[in-house]
Amino acid sequence: MNALADASLEPAQRKLLVHIAEAWLRTGEWPQWGYIQHTFDRIDLDAEDLLRSLPRVGAHTVFAASYGYTTAIPHHLGENDPIHLTIAASLVVEQVMEAIGIPFTKALQKMVRAYLQAEPSHPGETPRPLMNSSDLRRVYSRHDHHQRIYPDPFIRALPDLLSYEPAIAARNKARSEDGEWQLEITRSVLLFRDVRHIADYVDKTCETVTATAAQYASDTGRTGSLLVPTSDSQFGSFDETGLWDPTPVPTPAPPADTRPPYLDAELLADLEDAAQNTQWKIGKLLALCHELNSNHAAQNPYACVALVRAITDHIPPIFGHKDFAQVAANHSFSMQRTDKAHAKYLAEFKDIAHDALHRPIGPSVHIHTMDDVPAPTRLRAVLHELVTLMRKAPTATT
């Protein structure tokens, strides 16, 4: 078992999770943090303290290497940020088990079968098994609806749910305005080929996340953000008899960064492809995106902050607006509530970027860290919307 399965929650902690779940069940959208915070303010409870007190496994310093009942909690939680539950919340909230947990285990097995049954047409080709919303909807229609095999709200939400599960990499291939979607299934689902119950899924995920965090600490000599002293160093080492050998030991190369890029290559390719027959020249946008990926991999917070702002300052004309604040306020996004919340966050982020770029030196030190960089999903959502707009744009005439 694990810390999530064995946890004994306080009533107020459970109340927080139930309230988030009920908001999703009513609307099909995850609630904004400001809504949750205000609700708990009215009963004299600090929602953020409760949220940060919930159990998690893994390390907070590695991208996608922690897991809990909610998605990773940013250093600064804005009132317009949506707050998501993970599949693990099924273990402690009955409504989530019924609406998400049970159908998720069945959908996961369908994903495993889709991956294993895919056949390449050529030895030089990697299979790209796909699953789409209509596949699940057809299965649902063949069963008694009271069995709740794949309820419609679950079908619409599955890509979003998968995007916050750290041990599964399922790539969004297409999503329409009416909520229909298509996913590319990756080999990551094989970890769960024998999973039949949600508790087993959470166990496997926790094992994977914990192992990833432990490997990071072992490879880098870091726990959290502090260097852990070791018995060996570049100045010498202990030999097999336990005696100190002063012969210098070469410092090992740092481990390769295995985190996904901030903006994935498929998204950048989609941007380039979508712009081909439009009036928009996106060379600068692509250059900014590549520089953002490089600086994110190098953990350069000031460069990342500046580049996120540069991108949001650069793209409003494609949306038909002069600046990004107008985009966030007025554009009708394909996923209106979720993606609009991401856009509003990025619009408000301009103040943080301004501080990072323009705060003059003084007697006090204010340091920005990678925690101040917006979560990648926010900018990805806006750029995916950009792809959609450019594909709908009239073909440019020469």
Side-chain angles (χ1 to χ4, degrees):
M1 299 299 282
N2 58 73
L4 300 183
D6 296 337
S8 177
L9 297 183
E10 297 291 331
Q13 292 174 313
R14 190 178 301 274
K15 185 180 184 70
L16 175 67
L17 296 174
V18 168
H19 199 72
I20 296 170
E22 288 177 342
W24 181 81
L25 290 168
R26 283 198 310 272
T27 66
E29 299 279 356
W30 295 109
Q32 291 187 349
W33 179 243
Y35 167 79
I36 298 295
Q37 201 167 38
H38 179 71
T39 302
F40 278 73
D41 286 343
R42 295 177 63 191
I43 55 176
D44 198 25
L45 289 174
D46 190 319
E48 185 161 349
D49 281 352
L50 290 173
L51 182 66
R52 295 188 185 279
S53 71
L54 292 170
R56 298 190 73 81
V57 300
H60 294 276
T61 56
V62 189
F63 181 80
S66 73
Y67 192 53
Y69 303 129
T70 69
T71 52
I73 306 166
H75 180 67
H76 171 71
L77 193 58
E79 63 179 19
N80 292 326
D81 291 347
I83 183 72
H84 302 248
L85 298 183
T86 67
I87 303 300
S90 301
L91 297 176
V92 293
V93 180
E94 183 178 351
Q95 299 98 311
V96 179
M97 176 63 84
E98 181 181 359
I100 295 177
I102 293 173
F104 177 79
T105 54
K106 297 180 182 299
L108 184 57
Q109 285 309 304
K110 186 173 180 62
M111 293 167 69
V112 171
R113 290 194 298 273
Y115 178 84
L116 294 175
Q117 291 169 3
E119 296 184 9
S121 58
H122 187 274
E125 176 184 292
T126 300
R128 304 288 185 188
L130 301 174
M131 184 173 77
N132 57 57
S133 51
S134 59
D135 292 337
L136 296 187
R137 196 164 281 112
R138 280 194 296 271
V139 173
Y140 182 45
S141 66
R142 292 200 300 268
H143 290 77
D144 180 351
H145 286 211
H146 292 294
Q147 293 180 343
R148 301 179 67 82
I149 302 299
Y150 296 121
D152 199 60
F154 169 79
I155 295 174
R156 289 197 303 271
L158 184 57
D160 181 58
L161 293 169
L162 286 170
S163 70
Y164 293 104
E165 294 301 306
I168 297 180
R171 303 187 182 103
N172 276 304
K173 298 297 291 183
R175 187 152 194 167
S176 63
E177 293 183 11
D178 61 1
E180 298 300 306
W181 48 259
Q182 185 179 65
L183 295 175
E184 180 184 324
I185 310 304
T186 69
R187 191 170 182 272
S188 62
V189 299
L190 293 185
L191 178 67
F192 305 100
R193 67 194 306 169
D194 298 322
V195 164
R196 297 295 182 273
H197 302 285
I198 203 66
D200 298 330
Y201 168 80
V202 175
D203 274 347
K204 285 280 189 184
T205 301
C206 288
E207 287 174 10
T208 302
V209 167
T210 302
T212 301
Q215 186 62 50
Y216 175 84
S218 173
D219 288 346
T220 64
R222 290 181 182 273
T223 302
S225 59
L226 300 176
L227 186 64
V228 178
T230 63
S231 58
D232 295 351
S233 74
Q234 67 266 37
F235 303 111
S237 62
F238 291 101
D239 65 20
E240 59 185 9
T241 69
L243 297 177
W244 180 256
D245 180 355
T247 305
V249 176
T251 302
D257 190 348
T258 57
R259 296 172 305 162
Y262 192 89
L263 301 171
D264 58 274
E266 186 174 6
L267 170 58
L268 301 187
D270 285 345
L271 282 168
E272 189 168 13
D273 177 70
Q276 288 291 328
N277 296 317
T278 72
Q279 64 174 311
W280 307 109
K281 307 302 180 185
I282 65 165
K284 178 180 176 181
L285 173 59
L286 292 174
L288 291 170
C289 291
H290 286 297
E291 289 186 23
L292 177 55
N293 278 348
S294 297
N295 280 282
H296 183 257
Q299 299 282 283
N300 296 328
Y302 286 90
C304 290
V305 164
L307 287 161
V308 169
R309 176 174 172 179
I311 290 170
T312 57
D313 282 349
H314 187 57
I315 61 178
I318 301 180
F319 288 90
H321 294 290
K322 291 182 178 180
D323 59 48
F324 196 76
Q326 292 180 0
V327 174
N330 300 313
H331 180 71
S332 179
F333 285 84
S334 302
M335 293 291 290
Q336 176 65 4
R337 183 172 177 181
T338 302
D339 290 351
K340 195 175 188 71
H342 290 321
K344 286 182 175 179
Y345 180 94
L346 291 173
E348 293 173 357
F349 174 74
K350 186 172 184 177
D351 292 335
I352 295 176
H354 186 89
D355 179 88
L357 292 169
H358 301 297
R359 179 189 288 263
I361 195 169
S364 62
V365 179
H366 183 78
I367 300 295
H368 286 275
T369 69
M370 292 301 293
D371 287 334
D372 296 312
V373 179
T377 190
R378 298 190 184 281
L379 189 55
R380 288 176 191 164
V382 170
L383 293 179
H384 276 296
E385 184 72 8
L386 204 66
V387 170
T388 300
L389 285 178
M390 289 193 291
R391 285 178 173 163
K392 290 180 179 178
T395 302
T397 57
T398 56

